Amino acid sequence: MTTTNQVLADWVKEVAELTQPDQIYWCDGTAAEEQKFNDMLLADGTYKKLNEETHPNCFLHLSDPQDVARVEHLTFICTEKEADAGPNNHWMAPQDAHQKIDDLFAGCMQGRTMYVIPYCMGPIDSPISRCGVEITDSAYVVQNMRLMTRMGSDALARIEREGGFVKGLHSTGELDPDRRFIMHFPEELAIKSYGSGYGGNALLGKKCHALRIASYQAKTEGWLAEHMLILGIKTPAGKQHYVAAAFPSACGKTNLAMLIPPEGYVKDGWEISTVGDDICWMRPGEDGRLWAINPEAGFFGVAPGTAKATNPNALKMLYKDTIFTNVAETEDGQPWWEGLDDRTPKTDWQGRPFDPANGPAAHPNSRFTVSAKRCPSYSPESEAAAGVPIDAIIFGGRRASLVPLVAEAKSWDHGVLMGATVASETTAAATGAVGVVRRDPMAMKPFCGYNFGDYWAHWVAMQEKANHLPKVFTVNWFRKDDQGKFMWPGFGENMRVLEWIIGRCQGELSATETAIGHLPSKDDINTDNLDMDMNVLEDLLAVDAAGWKSEAESVEAFLSEYGNRVPKALFDQLKQLQSQLA
Ligand code: SAT
Ligand code: MN
């Protein structure tokens, strides 16, 4: 196979000259190809077959123990001007970065096959979608990209029709952490990644393209590329709503995306559907609303903690056609991880006989890769070329104190301030001081491909591009009482907060105006069959003025780190908050 796109043909040739593979293989995305690659990965030991009876067509891959997560300190944004990357990124001059990483790529594919993966982020016929090509020497990466993107001939045909594509070059190299870099060249729409086979570092369609490069593309083209799940909510009256929600890591994004409502809600006719669990691309439509797609086609989720009680939908999709990476294995060849059930595994994530003295059996960042179509709550609208219209944007953090269960922004500008100042508090589980607030604006700290100041200005400017923007909310499922116990039950019960949010979008439910936004009173939240002390709910919805005054000071110091690139609208909003608190 080859291509009629001259830029692509020339680039493949150039990369082959640099990396010197034994052969070049163009991926077509067919089922026959998928089978062939599985057989190959089994034969060379990259895959181990799991129990065919309980887990048909499922495979276990154990990675190099030094290659189990994203590497933010080795991840660079390489723009001509350092200030364009901003204080939120590590920066390297493009010329230096190319030189440094090309030295590593030189001859690195000798004795290996070079795979060319044309892929499309988003439904193949959607105008919101964007294409890329990943060149890699890893067949494991090919199989993951097959599940996570629309890859193969259809994507290539679109590239040949449209011309443009993001260039992603990847090699696992020697898997040596000292010879590892993840470089992004937003101005060239290019990515170069060397020395890791791990998801976020190696599946270049995901964080590298769909967030870092796409956020830059989105700024120049007038749309938004965000680290958000997309959830469908159908009311008993049959009205379909969609919300997009951003949370920093370890805040339950996949669980919320696949939420199962409390029994009473199901009986009343509420329905939840999943469009995406990680990334959302939104674009103003002719109607002035934001229309969103999930650019991904699969889920690359954390295995530990996934269980019947926490996320039954996720568990159901993992019994077939799934790649498991760095989980443990039971005696009879089933995948296992902490929190799944009370069985004891036979081998751990490094293939050793399980011994609790060695730590957890499954790596805490062990993963499953599975097609989104396997999810019981998967929305058929995920395939819609037009995308889905977003009614509400939700920002969430993990705050043990201060931040209420839910608040609605007073305006778009106020919502941007809420998103820009999202934070999580460090817990006793991590080393260092407890209760330290770490800001993670729009949950994009590791993923925004340019200066946060410019990014917030772009968010503010969306008002000029779309006149029916979604309402903006913050949520906090993680408030704790004096005893350190969670005050809100979370999981499926979060539906009660979603109902209030949807009610606000429909203009049906009431709220109280406060300095920090519109808040429900405890009577505005549906508490039918909720086993909870109403005084606690009242506490969760109270505004602690003194606490918010010091929060506002911390926010001011944080925004100031981004200097004069911060849009004036955010400081105006902050001043307004401060004067209303006074
Ligand atoms: O970065 S990954 O895509 O590998 C996982 C995550 O952090 O969401
Ligand atoms: Mn993520």
Side-chain angles (χ1 to χ4, degrees):
M1 198 155 97
T2 178
T3 177
T4 58
N5 182 302
Q6 201 54 48
V7 176
L8 176 54
D10 290 347
W11 176 57
V12 168
K13 189 159 166 266
E14 180 194 311
V15 169
E17 275 161 17
L18 174 67
T19 60
Q20 297 169 25
D22 277 10
Q23 43 181 330
I24 301 176
Y25 177 92
W26 290 71
C27 299
D28 62 16
T30 58
E33 180 184 82
E34 178 169 21
Q35 181 69 50
K36 187 170 75 181
F37 274 65
N38 283 341
D39 293 345
M40 185 166 80
L41 287 161
L42 282 170
D44 74 10
T46 308
Y47 272 177
K48 180 166 187 287
K49 182 104 188 59
L50 290 166
N51 188 320
E52 180 63 25
E53 252 155 59
T54 59
H55 292 75
N57 203 36
C58 290
F59 304 96
L60 173 63
H61 170 67
L62 303 184
S63 80
D64 184 297
Q66 301 231 63
D67 184 33
V68 293
R70 280 186 286 107
V71 282
E72 281 169 30
H73 64 294
L74 301 173
T75 299
F76 289 82
I77 298 296
C78 311
T79 44
E80 284 297 332
K81 296 200 196 95
E82 181 169 2
D84 290 340
N88 46 307
N89 283 303
H90 298 294
W91 175 83
M92 202 183 290
Q95 224 186 334
D96 296 348
H98 279 302
Q99 175 126 47
K100 214 177 186 70
I101 203 161
D102 285 353
D103 282 352
L104 298 176
F105 275 114
C108 75
M109 295 189 193
Q110 282 170 22
R112 302 185 185 184
T113 299
M114 181 174 114
Y115 304 103
V116 182
I117 315 170
Y119 65 85
C120 180
M121 299 310 290
I124 203 93
D125 56 351
S126 170
I128 309 177
S129 301
R130 287 284 179 275
C131 290
V133 177
E134 174 164 356
I135 296 180
T136 179
D137 54 10
S138 162
Y140 165 79
V141 165
V142 173
Q143 293 305 69
N144 277 271
M145 286 290 284
R146 191 185 305 284
L147 292 168
M148 295 303 296
T149 72
R150 281 91 171 166
M151 70 86 116
S153 326
D154 291 350
L156 182 61
R158 178 165 171 165
I159 290 168
E160 290 176 341
R161 222 165 40 237
E162 285 182 350
F165 64 96
V166 170
K167 291 176 181 165
L169 173 55
H170 169 256
S171 170
T172 51
E174 305 79 24
L175 297 176
D176 175 356
D178 293 327
R179 288 166 58 83
R180 182 175 295 165
F181 285 110
I182 325 295
M183 307 281 204
H184 303 74
F185 305 88
E187 290 146 350
E188 303 168 37
L189 302 184
I191 305 154
K192 290 183 178 177
S193 164
Y194 189 91
S196 167
Y198 171 75
N201 304 327
L203 314 179
L204 301 187
K206 197 172 175 58
K207 308 291 189 183
C208 299
H209 177 166
L211 288 176
R212 298 197 190 95
I213 297 290
S215 61
Y216 173 87
Q217 276 185 302
K219 179 186 70 141
T220 46
E221 296 172 10
W223 48 283
L224 294 167
E226 299 300 327
H227 190 204
M228 293 177 178
L229 63 91
I230 308 169
L231 179 71
I233 304 171
K234 196 161 165 189
T235 68
K239 189 137 197 318
Q240 181 66 58
H241 295 273
Y242 294 94
V243 304
F247 292 84
S249 59
C251 291
K253 216 150 109 236
T254 304
N255 292 345
L256 184 60
M258 297 172 193
L259 174 142
I260 295 190
E263 219 171 279
Y265 279 85
V266 178
K267 248 190 231 142
D268 288 349
W270 290 86
E271 279 172 34
I272 292 288
S273 53
T274 308
V275 178
D277 81 329
D278 197 36
I279 303 179
C280 168
W281 287 358
M282 289 180 277
R283 189 180 273 275
E286 273 166 23
D287 58 359
R289 307 175 76 186
L290 290 185
W291 288 75
I293 59 163
N294 170 14
E296 301 192 281
F299 304 119
F300 182 66
V302 177
T306 307
K308 241 196 211 125
T310 58
N311 193 338
N313 276 328
L315 200 61
K316 274 188 206 137
M317 68 189 177
L318 301 180
Y319 284 98
K320 223 179 112 190
D321 306 332
T322 304
I323 304 168
F324 293 93
T325 302
N326 294 341
V327 302
E329 205 186 332
T330 63
E331 192 118 41
D332 60 345
Q334 298 188 43
W336 191 89
W337 48 82
E338 274 69 20
L340 177 62
D341 53 37
D342 55 13
R343 286 175 298 173
T344 303
K346 180 157 176 261
T347 49
D348 71 7
W349 68 276
Q350 298 189 57
R352 302 172 298 195
F354 172 59
D355 176 354
N358 289 332
H363 188 277
N365 193 36
S366 55
R367 298 275 170 165
F368 53 78
T369 318
V370 66
S371 165
K373 292 195 172 124
R374 292 230 3 103
C375 177
S377 57
Y378 186 62
S379 165
E381 290 304 306
S382 310
E383 305 296 329
V388 297
I390 299 295
D391 296 288
I393 289 175
I394 301 173
F395 294 114
R398 180 182 279 270
R399 296 291 292 266
S401 60
L402 189 69
V403 179
L405 178 62
V406 58
E408 177 192 330
K410 299 181 210 178
S411 63
W412 181 255
D413 284 349
H414 183 224
V416 178
L417 178 70
M418 280 176 160
T421 56
V422 164
S424 284
E425 270 151 30
T426 51
T427 64
T431 48
V434 172
V436 176
V437 171
R438 297 250 163 81
R439 305 265 163 216
D440 186 356
M442 282 81 172
M444 283 286 276
K445 174 70 184 60
F447 307 120
C448 183
Y450 63 103
N451 190 317
F452 261 153
D454 298 339
Y455 170 74
W456 299 325
H458 175 52
W459 263 83
V460 168
M462 287 307 289
Q463 286 164 113
E464 289 142 34
K465 301 180 176 80
N467 54 14
H468 286 100
L469 286 169
K471 277 182 180 285
V472 180
F473 299 82
T474 59
V475 299
N476 179 22
W477 316 134
F478 301 99
R479 280 279 289 275
K480 287 187 176 168
D481 63 16
D482 297 342
Q483 271 82 54
K485 262 188 56 200
F486 283 116
M487 295 162 73
W488 177 251
F491 299 104
E493 305 296 345
N494 292 335
M495 184 68 213
R496 300 173 189 277
V497 174
L498 294 177
E499 182 186 6
W500 183 75
I501 288 173
I502 293 306
R504 292 296 294 168
C505 293
Q506 292 184 319
E508 281 169 5
L509 294 182
S510 55
T512 312
E513 259 188 67
T514 78
I516 63 165
H518 303 306
L519 267 69
S521 75
K522 68 178 191 324
D523 302 322
D524 295 319
I525 301 282
N526 178 349
T527 53
D528 291 355
N529 304 312
L530 178 65
D531 181 19
M532 184 174 177
D533 180 345
M534 286 305 114
N535 293 324
V536 174
L537 184 56
E538 207 163 341
D539 282 351
L540 282 173
L541 297 168
V543 179
D544 163 11
W548 276 100
K549 274 184 204 161
S550 54
E551 172 80 3
E553 273 172 37
S554 136
V555 162
E556 189 167 358
F558 172 69
L559 292 181
S560 302
E561 288 169 32
Y562 292 85
N564 59 13
R565 296 222 182 192
V566 180
K568 181 170 168 296
L570 291 197
F571 283 115
D572 289 348
Q573 285 298 321
L574 185 61
K575 269 191 219 121
Q576 205 174 312
L577 169 67
Q578 282 166 322
S579 75
Q580 286 178 9
L581 287 166

